[in-house]
Amino acid sequence: MDEKWTRLVHNMNPSAKLLRAWELKGGISAQVTALEMETPDGTQKKVVVREHGQADLKRNPQIVSDEFKLLQILKSAGLPTPTPYHLEASSDMFPTPCLVIEFIEGQTVTAPADLSSFLQQAAEVLNRIHSVDASRLADTYLPKQEEAITEKLHKRPATLDNSLDEGLIREVLAFVWPLPQANVVSLLHGDFWPGNTMWKEEKLAAVIDWEDAAIGDPLSDLGNARLEILWAFGVEAMNDFTLYYQSASKTLDYTQLPYWDLCAALRPASNLSDWGLEKRIEKTMRERHSLFVMQACEKLGIPYKRHATYESLE
């Protein structure tokens, strides 16, 4: 068993001992390890250790302490998120700081038994995230979502991924960016999708992976979630999820949602092929991405022509 985990458990609780450690699959931006520990009274407890990757640390060198503070705020606001237990500073054992959080008993769900209930619970928790008092986030140094998109629009790649309509999306967004502020800025999860939710007995147990959290228009999160739900469950599910969200948040101005949909649609440009997807799944996702861009353009009154490169996939 790795000595560093023994030391980490000792740093958390000098009287506890490490029983086992195992890697948790599925983490992309961070290395995730589960530990099981035992205290002298025989109590056993599982925790999760998150070690952030270099890309996250380069983007925000304080990401680990920021995520720790954010999880404390979210937990105190009553949101279903992992409890943060310990912040381990970098040392000879740990080249970078790491975060120890609650082990959530549950799993991600790819085929919900009751899709309607699944979507409703997901929409309601997203609304609750957006309702967190933004003044409580002042010392977490969360990035501004609008600035990240501004930077992405300015960094135009030499070759556009027009199989995902990148040229069209950039052209439409560049013309209107920055958007006039229609809604009060709120906390954003930054990557809200079914894979970042944990479920137990058909109830949402936790929203996980907060390293992309930001401050901005809640429609940014909504647009991203809409695309992810379209990919996972289809058009009807996307529309139902949107209606559930809107019924829980009647005060927002949704006029600019098509633009935020396009911001979401820009994210996979030039890297969808690198996600290691099965050919059949990638083809479906590209097909649905095209529909997503088309519906946004229709709402904005912009002509949309399916790209020839995309048609060749059929």
Side-chain angles (χ1 to χ4, degrees):
M1 209 176 303
D2 199 319
E3 187 191 335
K4 73 176 183 179
W5 303 130
T6 303
R7 187 188 292 190
L8 178 60
V9 167
H10 180 268
N11 290 351
M12 290 175 64
N13 182 348
S15 64
K17 69 174 182 179
L18 176 66
L19 298 178
R20 61 185 180 123
W22 67 100
E23 185 182 347
L24 293 176
K25 302 294 183 189
I28 297 168
S29 57
Q31 187 176 330
V32 187
T33 307
L35 308 179
E36 188 167 16
M37 49 201 277
E38 185 177 64
T39 50
D41 66 359
T43 304
Q44 294 182 0
K45 180 180 185 176
K46 293 178 194 167
V47 298
V48 171
V49 185
R50 284 176 58 78
E51 298 174 274
H52 287 273
Q54 288 305 316
D56 279 348
L57 290 163
K58 186 178 178 185
R59 177 169 55 88
N60 175 9
Q62 305 299 319
I63 192 165
V64 185
S65 57
D66 280 356
E67 193 170 332
F68 187 81
K69 285 180 207 163
L70 177 60
L71 286 172
Q72 287 179 318
I73 291 166
L74 294 169
K75 204 69 192 172
S76 68
L79 281 159
T81 52
T83 303
Y85 291 134
H86 177 74
L87 187 61
E88 181 73 15
S90 56
S91 62
D92 57 331
M93 279 281 181
F94 295 91
T96 59
C98 65
L99 183 67
V100 184
I101 60 175
E102 178 184 4
F103 183 98
I104 301 293
E105 297 286 353
Q107 59 277 320
T108 54
V109 175
T110 54
D114 183 343
L115 181 57
S116 180
S117 173
F118 178 97
L119 296 171
Q120 190 163 5
Q121 290 181 65
E124 285 172 356
V125 82
L126 184 60
N127 179 255
R128 287 175 61 198
I129 290 166
H130 296 157
S131 302
V132 170
D133 182 356
S135 67
R136 300 178 68 187
L137 307 166
D139 67 344
T140 54
Y141 310 107
L142 291 174
K144 292 183 174 62
Q145 187 77 342
E146 184 186 289
E147 290 176 4
I149 295 168
T150 299
E151 185 180 350
K152 184 158 190 169
L153 291 174
H154 284 165
K155 284 186 177 174
R156 190 180 176 91
T159 307
L160 296 173
D161 181 4
N162 284 324
S163 71
L164 292 179
D165 298 305
E166 185 177 8
L168 171 65
I169 295 168
R170 284 180 171 275
E171 187 181 336
V172 173
L173 290 175
F175 187 71
V176 296
W177 205 262
L179 292 170
Q181 190 174 314
N183 294 309
V184 175
V185 296
S186 71
L187 169 66
L188 307 176
H189 179 275
D191 190 21
F192 190 87
W193 71 293
N196 280 338
T197 58
M198 301 282 286
W199 299 78
K200 189 175 183 183
E201 295 171 359
E202 297 185 41
K203 298 291 182 195
L204 197 154
V207 180
I208 59 171
D209 291 0
W210 288 84
E211 68 266 22
D212 292 314
I215 299 289
D217 192 314
L219 300 189
S220 170
D221 258 356
L222 179 59
N224 188 69
R226 278 164 49 78
L227 176 57
E228 293 284 359
I229 284 164
L230 171 65
W231 274 339
F233 306 119
V235 175
E236 191 177 337
M238 176 187 76
N239 292 334
D240 287 348
F241 173 82
T242 308
L243 289 172
Y244 287 136
Y245 180 89
Q246 290 175 328
S247 68
S249 186
K250 296 184 175 74
T251 57
L252 290 181
D253 181 339
Y254 291 93
T255 312
Q256 295 172 349
L257 183 56
Y259 290 120
W260 288 110
D261 280 354
L262 291 177
C263 289
L266 187 58
R267 290 179 75 166
S270 298
N271 60 32
L272 183 61
S273 297
D274 302 329
W275 291 3
L277 302 164
E278 290 177 33
K279 284 269 191 290
R280 174 184 54 82
I281 292 171
E282 183 179 338
K283 181 177 180 293
T284 299
M285 286 173 68
R286 286 178 175 277
E287 203 169 74
R288 291 179 178 178
H289 183 280
S290 181
L291 285 171
F292 192 68
V293 175
M294 182 171 68
Q295 60 84 30
C297 288
E298 280 178 356
K299 287 174 186 169
L300 295 168
I302 294 165
Y304 176 81
K305 185 178 183 300
R306 209 180 205 188
H307 199 271
T309 309
Y310 168 72
E311 286 173 343
S312 68
L313 291 169
E314 297 188 300

